[in-house]
Amino acid sequence: MIERSGRILPPMTALPVFEAVGRRLSVAKAAEELHLTPGAVSRQVNNLETFLGIKLFERAHRRMAFTAAGEAYWAKIHAALGEVREATRTVSADADRGPLIIAAPRMFLQKYVMPTLGGLYARHPDMAVNFVASADNIVAPDGAIAISPKPKPGFIIDILADADLSPVCSPAYLKEAPPLRTPDDLEHHTLLRSAEYVRNWERWLGERAQRVFSVARCIDFESPGLELTGAAEGLGIAIVRLSLVREEIASGRLIALFTEETVHEHYTFMFAELKLRSARFRNFRTWLRDTVRVH
């Protein structure tokens, strides 16, 4: 017996299955359409019949047909699911009209995104993207470029590029500075830091961090990225993601130090799996991966 109440709903996962079977009048064809096994389709229909307390189909060896009650119920379910699909299409279209909000580290934006952003708009003239340097004040960005984030249920993580940490300095600084044979010698040097990236020094130095910071001369910058400029100008040693300074290292403007102690991490693009329903988001994801791969 089913309690007759306006608050009672049938098993919701069974309704799309029932609708497909009724439209095809075939369990096998409905299973193929829904990417399910015929057994799973039959179980869903049986569960719905059990819940309703009626037969929905008459089954013979090679055919199936509606019962009178089943046909009447199917017509209403078919119409209701059609309204749900249309409402979903409308909401999805509205969501695709606003700009994508993408959170990314400033240096990644500067080195990877800005030089190639014109290519995105040339490929997709109607694309609109707002890049933000921090997701802290964004309730739900469409995607976030981050360093080796922890996996979350319902989210996809694309690995974009290496984000290995290592100290760098200019040849001019190294020529005039005290000896620098081991990481412990950094306590006799000038370390360039920003408030946002002090943790990068801490991550690379490990247990040495507190001792080195207490002795070394530290020059702190409010904005991240300025420490890299300072390193190129010979002011001291900065900790950087090596993939961001390939050109500077190749040209000899910067020298990577202690590369045998590099901390290995990755830039990733993390987003909710549901975002893949948006063609605009899929286009942005493809462009991002292609751009970083070529860089």
Side-chain angles (χ1 to χ4, degrees):
M1 289 290 292
I2 299 174
E3 179 184 349
R4 302 299 177 185
S5 168
R7 299 176 62 185
I8 295 297
L9 291 172
M12 303 304 288
T13 56
L15 296 183
V17 177
F18 167 59
E19 191 273 340
V21 173
R23 188 161 27 82
R24 300 282 196 147
L25 288 178
S26 166
V27 168
K29 291 180 180 178
E32 183 179 356
E33 175 184 324
L34 299 171
H35 304 289
L36 297 172
T37 64
V41 169
S42 294
R43 284 192 294 274
Q44 292 280 16
V45 173
N46 290 338
N47 289 342
L48 185 59
E49 288 180 324
T50 299
F51 179 87
L52 295 171
I54 61 171
K55 289 185 65 176
L56 298 170
F57 298 101
E58 297 288 353
R59 298 168 178 82
H61 178 61
R62 292 185 175 274
R63 59 180 293 275
M64 46 186 323
F66 280 117
T67 63
E71 188 168 15
Y73 187 61
W74 180 88
K76 292 183 178 181
I77 295 301
H78 175 71
L81 290 178
E83 291 184 9
V84 170
R85 292 188 185 101
E86 182 58 32
T88 302
R89 277 193 292 268
T90 300
V91 169
S92 296
D94 289 343
D96 261 0
R97 292 191 183 102
L100 293 175
I101 307 298
I102 305 297
R106 288 178 178 87
M107 289 298 294
F108 185 94
L109 290 175
Q110 179 181 331
K111 293 286 189 172
Y112 277 103
V113 174
M114 299 307 294
T116 58
L117 192 56
L120 172 65
Y121 295 126
R123 190 185 303 182
H124 304 288
D126 297 330
M127 181 74 72
V129 185
N130 287 351
F131 292 99
V132 296
S134 172
D136 293 344
N137 297 321
I138 306 297
V139 175
D142 294 289
I145 297 165
I147 303 294
S148 302
K150 294 181 180 179
K152 292 168 55 177
F155 281 74
I156 292 174
I157 297 177
D158 291 337
I159 295 178
L160 297 177
D162 291 339
D164 296 343
L165 276 176
S166 187
V168 297
C169 68
S170 72
Y173 172 83
L174 202 58
K175 183 178 180 180
E176 301 296 332
L180 187 55
R181 290 180 290 268
T182 72
D184 290 320
D185 292 331
L186 287 169
E187 63 187 42
H188 306 299
H189 286 260
T190 300
L191 306 186
L192 308 178
R193 310 183 304 184
S194 68
E196 184 172 343
Y197 291 143
V198 166
R199 64 180 179 273
N200 289 345
W201 268 117
E202 293 171 341
R203 178 123 170 75
W204 188 85
L205 287 168
E207 295 179 353
R208 309 181 187 101
Q210 186 174 357
R211 175 175 52 80
V212 170
F213 286 163
S214 67
V215 179
R217 180 189 182 197
C218 295
I219 300 178
D220 293 319
F221 301 93
E222 182 178 358
S223 299
L226 292 178
E227 69 273 30
L228 179 57
T229 302
E233 295 298 328
L235 295 180
I237 302 172
I239 188 83
V240 299
R241 306 285 174 184
L242 291 177
S243 61
L244 299 179
V245 293
R246 288 195 188 103
E247 293 181 5
E248 290 86 346
I249 291 175
S251 68
R253 292 185 64 204
L254 291 174
I255 299 172
L257 306 171
F258 309 119
T259 53
E260 70 279 2
E261 298 199 29
T262 295
V263 174
H264 300 290
E265 296 180 315
H266 292 93
Y267 281 111
T268 66
F269 184 46
M270 185 173 183
F271 56 90
E273 187 173 2
L274 292 175
K275 295 294 179 181
L276 292 177
R277 296 178 179 177
S278 163
R280 183 183 53 152
F281 183 86
R282 294 195 302 273
N283 289 336
F284 174 82
R285 179 197 187 195
T286 298
W287 170 83
L288 179 63
R289 292 192 295 182
D290 290 348
T291 295
V292 174
R293 189 179 300 119
V294 169
H295 190 277

